[in-house]
Amino acid sequence: MPRRLILPLVGLAVATPAAAEDVVASAPSALSVTIYRAPDRDAGSIDLDDLGGFALISETRTIHVPAGVNRLRFEGVADGIDAVTAILTGLPGAVIEKNRDAALLSPSALLDASLGRSVALVRTNPATGVSVSVAGTVRSDAGGGVVFESAEGIEALRCSGLSETFAFALATPGLSARPTLSVTTRSGRAVEATVTLSYLARGFDWSADYVATLSPDGTTLDLGAWVTLANGNGAGFPRASTNVVAGRLNKETDEIEPIDIGTPILARCWPRGTTSDVSSGMMLVANRSLAAGLPAPAPPPMVMMADAREIMVTAQKVSQEQLGDLKLYRVPEPTTVASRQSKQVRLLDRSAVPVQRLYTAEIGANATIDYHPAGVLLRTTNDAAHHLGLALPSGKVAVFAPHGAASLLIGEAAIGDTAINEEVELALGAAPDVQVRQTIEERIVDQAEAKTLALVPGVIIARAVPVSSVARIDLSNAGSSPATVEVRLALDPSQRVVRADHPVARKNGRPLFRVALPANGSATIRYQIQAN
């Protein structure tokens, strides 16, 4: 007697015998997930519905391979698998074909697969509990309103007023309860093999988030960081060896066909007087869940949004390794990269990191600018002498300062990928106590005054140039503590500073003045530029 597939309106009970040539691999006995950050990610929150990164996933499985040509099925792979990147090692024979099976087992997919095929409609009288089976054929798919034909005529599903389910006596080839990769292989002998399946999959990302707490005197800070792992796929990876990779990796992105999770089942009924009047009909949407103990297919993102926003936190610390020109951070213990979930693992903890508090201003050369606040900057160096010395991935830094018995947020800053021995600068916003303005003095400076504008070391003036159009920068400090101010000039490529009354340094190829302002004090910088 054939096994039957039962499809109720609000649930499915399915038993699907595998095709004779199909061989299903075991569940993974070991997993490795290496997550690559989205190329355009620097800082900001992660949206599980819009993850621009990807992952390299490796799975170790056991499979019984008969002699001859077989189709090996690897169920439970990531939804976003790129099948062309899949590599299978450990097989005794050659791989002939690879397929990403995108059609998942669902009520609508089961109905679509049975279109025009023999089924049975089972009606149960709620008053007596008696069920009656009527043989017939499905004449329309799930999306068009289910129409059923029997010896009694043609009718629509659920229009009898009784509880109705479909019974399917036939297998439904090509459907799976989970995303599946199938591989066709040829083996000269039967063998039990332990194989490794590796592939790239989209729908992953990671980010770094830092928390810095200043000391009461503002000369040091404690720095902690978390790595947030995000998996937007319907498949989870329990107790996986997990890594993240920092750096700009070039990857060509191609669209991957989404997994088919099925469409709602529509049941349209019409009054008995006419079959054309559907304005008063009702629409019933079938529940997509699978009953009778079978694993449910991965629900769509919109279903998961309401109940899968939790963020798991673990205290494991990652370690850093070199990966060519990239940086790899390894989570030391296996961790679960769960479906539709963000997870945080500890990146680092550093205490008493020496920092310098600076005030900065960006000024265009020869531009007239009224008084405006300077910016606040915390600067340190990423080396062992400053209690760091770990390549820091880009992310967001929240900076706190003590205020009485509590610590309050004083600013947020972005940090780029920072190599060892590079400077770390955290821009915290405006400082109203330190003001900067620039004016242009359009006049000829006399000889005595010109002596205060010394030639910048290394600059040679080929001809005598009158000292005119001198730029003047006024700095003021209304605070009760001294302030160090750095003024950075923006010049056209053809311009250079030829004279100044303060030493001219250079940072990132730009002229820079560094001035120490006393508490409640002021200072003036004067300089002249010349086109090459």
Side-chain angles (χ1 to χ4, degrees), residues 32-41 46-59 76-82 199-207 228-237 240 242-244 336-342:
S32 173
V33 179
T34 300
I35 302 176
Y36 292 78
R37 194 173 50 194
D40 57 352
R41 167 166 295 284
I46 282 182
D47 182 358
L48 285 175
D49 296 322
D50 186 22
L51 299 179
F54 63 97
L56 171 63
I57 299 169
S58 293
E59 306 176 354
V77 297
D79 312 7
I81 181 174
D82 185 354
Y199 57 89
L200 297 179
R202 64 178 180 175
F204 293 85
D205 204 354
W206 71 274
S207 67
T228 301
L229 314 174
N231 175 13
N233 285 261
F237 303 91
T242 305
N243 315 298
V244 297
T336 296
V337 185
S339 164
R340 300 289 300 165
Q341 186 185 82
S342 295

Side-chain angles (χ1 to χ4, degrees), residues 36-390:
Y36 292 78
R37 194 173 50 194
D40 57 352
R41 167 166 295 284
D42 287 318
S45 59
I46 282 182
D47 182 358
L48 285 175
D49 296 322
D50 186 22
L51 299 179
F54 63 97
L56 171 63
I57 299 169
S58 293
E59 306 176 354
T60 300
R61 304 192 186 213
T62 301
I63 191 163
H64 300 274
V65 184
V69 176
N70 301 278
R71 187 170 67 171
L72 314 181
R73 293 175 59 84
F74 296 86
E75 297 182 345
V77 297
D79 312 7
I81 181 174
D82 185 354
V84 300
T85 67
I87 299 174
L88 188 61
T89 59
L91 283 177
V95 173
I96 303 172
E97 182 180 272
K98 294 183 293 185
N99 295 287
R100 173 180 175 267
D101 300 335
L104 288 185
L105 183 61
S106 66
S108 58
L110 191 55
L111 273 173
D112 291 346
S114 302
L115 186 62
R117 306 175 75 176
S118 298
V119 296
L121 180 67
V122 181
R123 289 179 174 144
T124 302
N125 190 316
T128 63
V130 176
S131 297
V132 177
S133 179
V134 179
T137 305
V138 175
R139 291 303 185 193
S140 71
D141 61 15
V146 181
V147 176
F148 174 79
E149 181 179 7
S150 67
E152 300 174 2
I154 298 177
E155 56 186 303
L157 181 67
R158 294 301 294 265
C159 291
S160 66
L162 301 177
S163 174
E164 295 178 340
T165 64
F166 276 130
F168 296 81
L170 299 175
T172 54
L175 298 182
S176 172
R178 294 181 295 169
T180 300
L181 176 75
S182 62
V183 175
T184 302
T185 183
R186 180 185 291 109
S187 177
R189 57 188 177 86
V191 66
E192 179 179 301
T194 298
V195 298
T196 299
L197 172 65
S198 300
Y199 57 89
L200 297 179
R202 64 178 180 175
F204 293 85
D205 204 354
W206 71 274
S207 67
D209 295 278
Y210 301 80
V211 175
T213 304
L214 281 168
S215 61
D217 61 4
T219 61
T220 64
L221 58 78
D222 296 337
L223 184 66
W226 293 91
V227 169
T228 301
L229 314 174
N231 175 13
N233 285 261
F237 303 91
R239 293 191 55 78
S241 173
T242 305
N243 315 298
V244 297
V245 175
R248 301 291 181 181
L249 176 67
N250 182 48
K251 181 179 184 296
E252 298 297 327
T253 57
D254 294 320
E255 288 296 323
I256 299 175
E257 180 190 0
I259 291 290
D260 178 13
I261 54 172
T263 56
I265 295 177
L266 305 182
R268 291 190 174 96
C269 301
W270 52 84
R272 292 184 181 274
T274 175
T275 59
S276 61
D277 182 8
V278 296
S279 61
S280 61
M282 66 177 181
M283 180 183 296
L284 301 177
V285 181
N287 189 318
R288 291 189 178 93
S289 65
L290 293 177
L294 285 181
M302 292 301 294
V303 175
M304 297 296 295
M305 285 177 63
D307 59 356
R309 293 298 186 183
E310 71 273 12
I311 297 180
M312 302 298 293
V313 178
T314 173
Q316 298 181 56
K317 284 188 180 180
V318 302
S319 59
Q320 178 203 312
E321 301 174 16
Q322 196 72 23
L323 181 63
D325 292 327
L326 306 174
K327 297 293 186 294
L328 182 142
Y329 299 86
R330 186 184 302 277
V331 179
E333 299 294 334
T335 188
T336 296
V337 185
S339 164
R340 300 289 300 165
Q341 186 185 82
S342 295
K343 166 173 283 190
Q344 290 186 322
V345 294
R346 199 65 170 164
L347 174 63
L348 63 86
D349 284 293
R350 296 290 190 270
S351 59
V353 177
V355 292
Q356 182 183 10
R357 186 184 184 93
L358 301 168
Y359 298 86
T360 63
E362 305 280 341
I363 293 181
N366 280 3
T368 299
I369 302 172
D370 202 357
Y371 275 115
H372 65 282
V376 185
L377 187 73
L378 298 179
R379 180 183 293 161
T380 188
T381 304
N382 185 18
D383 59 17
H386 290 76
H387 301 179
L388 292 173
L390 172 74

Side-chain angles (χ1 to χ4, degrees), residues 290-527:
L290 293 177
L294 285 181
M302 292 301 294
V303 175
M304 297 296 295
M305 285 177 63
D307 59 356
R309 293 298 186 183
E310 71 273 12
I311 297 180
M312 302 298 293
V313 178
T314 173
Q316 298 181 56
K317 284 188 180 180
V318 302
S319 59
Q320 178 203 312
E321 301 174 16
Q322 196 72 23
L323 181 63
D325 292 327
L326 306 174
K327 297 293 186 294
L328 182 142
Y329 299 86
R330 186 184 302 277
V331 179
E333 299 294 334
T335 188
T336 296
V337 185
S339 164
R340 300 289 300 165
Q341 186 185 82
S342 295
K343 166 173 283 190
Q344 290 186 322
V345 294
R346 199 65 170 164
L347 174 63
L348 63 86
D349 284 293
R350 296 290 190 270
S351 59
V353 177
V355 292
Q356 182 183 10
R357 186 184 184 93
L358 301 168
Y359 298 86
T360 63
E362 305 280 341
I363 293 181
N366 280 3
T368 299
I369 302 172
D370 202 357
Y371 275 115
H372 65 282
V376 185
L377 187 73
L378 298 179
R379 180 183 293 161
T380 188
T381 304
N382 185 18
D383 59 17
H386 290 76
H387 301 179
L388 292 173
L390 172 74
L392 303 175
S394 63
K396 182 176 64 177
V397 186
V399 182
F400 294 82
H403 184 78
S407 291
L408 300 180
L409 180 69
I410 62 171
E412 290 186 333
I415 182 174
D417 289 328
T418 307
I420 297 174
N421 297 323
E422 284 189 340
E423 281 189 343
V424 179
E425 293 186 340
L426 306 179
L428 302 183
D433 283 348
V434 178
Q435 297 278 324
V436 182
R437 78 169 177 181
Q438 178 170 269
T439 56
I440 306 301
E441 300 176 345
E442 297 286 358
R443 62 186 177 85
I444 301 297
V445 178
D446 60 35
Q447 187 175 1
E449 189 178 2
K451 290 181 180 179
T452 65
L453 290 172
L455 284 173
V456 173
V459 173
I460 298 175
I461 300 179
R463 58 187 176 84
V465 178
V467 183
S468 62
S469 188
V470 175
R472 171 178 172 147
I473 301 173
D474 295 303
L475 308 171
S476 66
N477 176 19
S480 58
S481 301
T484 299
V485 183
E486 288 186 351
V487 180
R488 304 175 188 180
L489 297 181
L491 301 179
D492 290 335
S494 63
Q495 295 176 323
R496 59 177 175 168
V497 178
V498 294
R499 294 184 178 92
D501 62 1
H502 280 69
V504 182
R506 298 192 74 84
K507 186 176 181 66
N508 298 327
R510 295 174 56 185
L512 178 145
F513 297 104
R514 185 175 289 109
V515 179
L517 283 179
N520 298 304
S522 62
T524 299
I525 303 170
R526 299 171 73 229
Y527 68 92

